[in-house]
Amino acid sequence: MKTSLRHIALAAGLALGSAQAMAFGSILVSEPGADLFNIETMAFNGSSFDIFSLTFDFTGTTTTDSSYLVIDGAPLSITPPAGGTATFFGSGAVFGFNFTSFNTFESFKFKWDPDSAISGAYGATANDFVGGIVTASTSNGLYKGTFVKVLGSPDVSAVLSPVPEPESYALALTGLAVAGFLARRNRRA
């Protein structure tokens, strides 16, 4: 009986670890000039699955005018994935795109002249993106990342990591409970 309970605890821990080891994705923001920002997705480490939507949330950013970034209107230009479409949604600090036929090996870009929530003439820099959150809904689950500064570059990037599903947490808690039970039982013996 001891051995099978240890195996269950080990299996629970491995399952959580493997859920965390899924492919990562990244998004790079660059400023090609004239206050236009280029946001481009990159391949999710060679794993092949579909991306259904990307959501950008800038409510956690801080601009130099003590506000946060917003999009007022639509992007200036959109380059959809090959053979697919990209449909813009939202406004203000939270917005995004819904996709058809967007595989993780493909590229999607859009250009945007961001403003601050209190100034339509705000001259944003890539530093204003730091703290913004990107969420990708994919056929492989949810991925989330936060924009950070790229060292030695004027750019920022967000590396998206898988968001564990509730089942992963339940499995991990079960494994911890079994491990605690075994430790308590061994202490009594």
Side-chain angles (χ1 to χ4, degrees), residues 162-182:
V163 175
E165 296 181 8
E167 295 86 17
S168 298
Y169 288 118
L171 189 57
L173 288 174
T174 302
L176 288 172
V178 170
F181 171 77
L182 288 174

Side-chain angles (χ1 to χ4, degrees), residues 69-115:
L69 291 180
V70 297
I71 188 166
D72 52 354
L76 302 173
S77 68
I78 299 173
T79 305
T85 62
T87 307
F88 175 76
F89 66 84
S91 64
V94 181
F95 61 91
F97 298 87
N98 290 317
F99 301 103
T100 62
S101 301
F102 185 9
N103 188 276
T104 51
F105 290 116
E106 298 171 339
S107 177
F108 156 71
K109 297 181 186 182
F110 74 95
K111 291 184 179 177
W112 161 43
D113 178 16
D115 296 319

Side-chain angles (χ1 to χ4, degrees), residues 58-71 92-93 114-120 122 124 127-132:
F58 291 103
T59 55
T61 62
T62 305
T63 55
T64 56
D65 65 0
S66 300
S67 185
Y68 52 87
L69 291 180
V70 297
I71 188 166
D115 296 319
S116 80
I118 58 176
S119 173
Y122 184 75
N127 288 332
D128 294 317
F129 282 75
V130 172

Side-chain angles (χ1 to χ4, degrees), residues 11-93:
L14 288 174
L16 180 63
S18 65
Q20 296 295 327
M22 290 186 285
F24 291 85
S26 61
I27 293 180
L28 178 68
V29 178
S30 59
E31 184 187 5
D35 267 351
L36 299 176
F37 288 83
N38 186 24
I39 300 181
E40 180 177 2
T41 66
M42 298 179 183
F44 279 50
N45 286 349
S47 296
S48 180
F49 48 88
D50 290 325
I51 301 173
F52 303 128
S53 68
L54 284 174
T55 304
F56 298 87
D57 181 352
F58 291 103
T59 55
T61 62
T62 305
T63 55
T64 56
D65 65 0
S66 300
S67 185
Y68 52 87
L69 291 180
V70 297
I71 188 166
D72 52 354
L76 302 173
S77 68
I78 299 173
T79 305
T85 62
T87 307
F88 175 76
F89 66 84
S91 64

